[in-house]
Amino acid sequence: MEFTKKNTLQLKGIAIILMLFHHCLLSPNMYKEYEVIFSSLFTEAMVNRFAAFGKQCVSIFAFLSAYGLSISYKKAVDENNKLKSWYTKKITTLYSGYWFVFVFSIIICELINGLPSKTYNADRLSIKCLYVLLDFLGIRTLFKSPGINGAWWYMTVAFMIVILVPLLKFISSRISAIPLLLLTILFPRVLGIEFLGNNSFMSFLVPIMCGVIFADNNLMAGIKNYKLPFLKNKPINKFIKLIIMTIIMYFVYKFYFYLNTELFYDIKYGIIGVYFVVFCNEFISEIPIISVILEFLGKHSMNIFYVHIFIRSHYGTDFIYSFKNFILIIIALLLSSLVISLIIEFIKELIHYNKLIEKFSSSRFFM
């Protein structure tokens, strides 16, 4: 059983749900102006904790991006494609969707309440233009400049993953998996690089490196296909694996909240995040109906990521929290973002945007 694109989309769907919890219910301060209803089964404290664990959405995306890019780069090398051509296609693929939404958001937000003008405010026009350019390139967090959407800090991580994968592939081909993982953890410490914050790509080096290692060794499929040596019956084997891995997941989840982030970010956002990916791929992605829904969400995951903060923090806060029940709040934000994603994709199809981007990235100018 191979790790397929469908599995990747299912995991992205899980990541998006985690992200919405993280951005809506992380702490009571997020909804202090609204009445949010919890339950005796899922108390406010429990939901807040789960929302905090939702930070793993970044680890999931970082891992999957590195995994996919690693496979793609290997294929490019096997076909003797130029590194320049590979970079062009991958960076264009990364940014094409983002740029469309960026321009779309600038126009709509300016018409609604002038958000871009307020955000990129500066005394000099040249500085305003620089702010816009850095946000457009998705690298504003490297320069700590303002942006119209707080969630877009991840574009810096995504950009750095594309840049780093060829180098990480080179290193991975010369160092075995476990020593390489240990080296990834020790490397920043040896150089005296301290924790740079939850929104720094350096904080997610471990899931990025794991993505490359897992791709090089086909570990996602290997783990899923692994059978316990003392059990030959396939259903029983799967059931025992479920029990063992669920117990581990329970303790991993508990352990997550006791770790000091500044000291153990590589475990908190790396090792734990990767185990969560493995667990979800092993069991959640195989649940009927749920897997189909997750796959669908995965197809729209980037658009949902791009637009959900506009709804959550700027233009639909009263609407989504008006549903009161914490599950309905998440569903409202998810469906609202999904509707906008469908509209975005419809407009792209209408103007043949994706075909234009494909022709652009394949043009002889970049070969």
Side-chain angles (χ1 to χ4, degrees), residues 8-33:
T8 299
L9 291 174
Q10 291 162 350
L11 289 167
K12 286 182 178 180
I14 292 171
I16 280 299
I17 294 171
L18 288 176
M19 180 191 71
L20 298 185
F21 268 93
H22 188 67
H23 287 165
C24 285
L25 300 166
L26 179 60
S27 74
N29 287 333
M30 281 188 154
Y31 48 84
K32 61 184 179 181
E33 298 176 5

Side-chain angles (χ1 to χ4, degrees), residues 40 83 109 117 134 157 201 232 245 263 274 297:
S40 56
L83 181 61
C109 294
S117 295
L134 291 174
V157 179
F201 82 92
K232 294 183 179 180
M245 292 184 70
L263 294 177
V274 172
L297 293 178

Side-chain angles (χ1 to χ4, degrees), residues 97-298:
Y98 173 66
W99 284 335
F100 186 90
V101 175
F102 182 88
V103 173
F104 184 82
S105 301
I106 288 287
I107 295 170
I108 298 299
C109 294
E110 189 63 39
L111 290 174
I112 294 175
N113 66 343
L115 177 65
S117 295
K118 297 172 185 176
T119 302
Y120 303 123
N121 186 35
D123 294 333
R124 294 161 54 187
L125 179 61
S126 58
I127 299 299
K128 289 183 180 180
C129 292
L130 179 61
Y131 287 162
V132 175
L133 179 63
L134 291 174
D135 209 6
F136 180 74
L137 294 176
I139 56 173
R140 69 174 183 82
T141 54
L142 292 176
F143 301 91
K144 298 182 179 179
S145 61
I148 62 170
N149 189 313
W152 290 354
W153 70 267
Y154 178 76
M155 293 305 298
T156 304
V157 179
F159 173 76
M160 292 305 302
I161 293 173
V162 176
I163 297 300
L164 289 173
V165 159
L167 173 62
L168 298 181
K169 285 282 291 181
F170 175 80
I171 298 172
S172 179
S173 67
R174 284 157 175 78
I175 305 176
S176 56
I178 294 178
L180 180 55
L181 184 57
L182 291 174
L183 184 63
T184 305
I185 294 173
L186 293 174
F187 175 73
R189 289 169 167 77
V190 171
L191 294 182
I193 300 174
E194 297 180 353
F195 177 61
L196 299 177
N198 293 332
N199 294 354
S200 168
F201 82 92
M202 286 292 295
S203 302
F204 299 93
L205 278 180
V206 170
I208 293 169
M209 191 71 253
C210 283
V212 174
I213 293 172
F214 272 58
D216 285 353
N217 297 279
N218 197 27
L219 289 179
M220 290 299 283
I223 293 171
K224 196 166 188 175
N225 294 331
Y226 176 76
K227 294 180 177 58
L228 298 170
F230 51 87
L231 287 172
K232 294 183 179 180
N233 184 285
K234 188 175 180 180
I236 295 178
N237 198 295
K238 189 76 171 180
F239 180 69
I240 298 299
K241 279 183 75 176
L242 173 61
I243 293 175
I244 293 172
M245 292 184 70
T246 300
I247 292 172
I248 294 172
M249 188 68 244
Y250 172 79
F251 285 106
V252 163
Y253 180 80
K254 291 288 187 181
F255 186 54
Y256 174 85
F257 299 102
Y258 291 100
L259 284 174
N260 182 295
T261 303
E262 291 191 11
L263 294 177
F264 302 107
Y265 61 89
D266 31 28
I267 296 175
K268 197 167 185 176
Y269 300 144
I271 305 301
I272 290 176
V274 172
Y275 181 78
F276 183 71
V277 168
V278 169
F279 179 85
C280 291
N281 181 62
E282 178 86 26
F283 302 110
I284 296 179
S285 65
E286 291 191 352
I287 301 174
I289 302 177
I290 297 294
S291 61
V292 176
I293 294 172
L294 290 174
E295 184 182 350
F296 179 72
L297 293 178

Side-chain angles (χ1 to χ4, degrees), residues 95-97 99-100 348-349 351-357:
Y95 279 119
S96 59
W99 284 335
F100 186 90
K348 283 183 182 178
E349 188 69 26
I351 64 175
H352 305 291
Y353 179 78
N354 292 330
K355 290 182 180 178
L356 290 171
I357 292 296

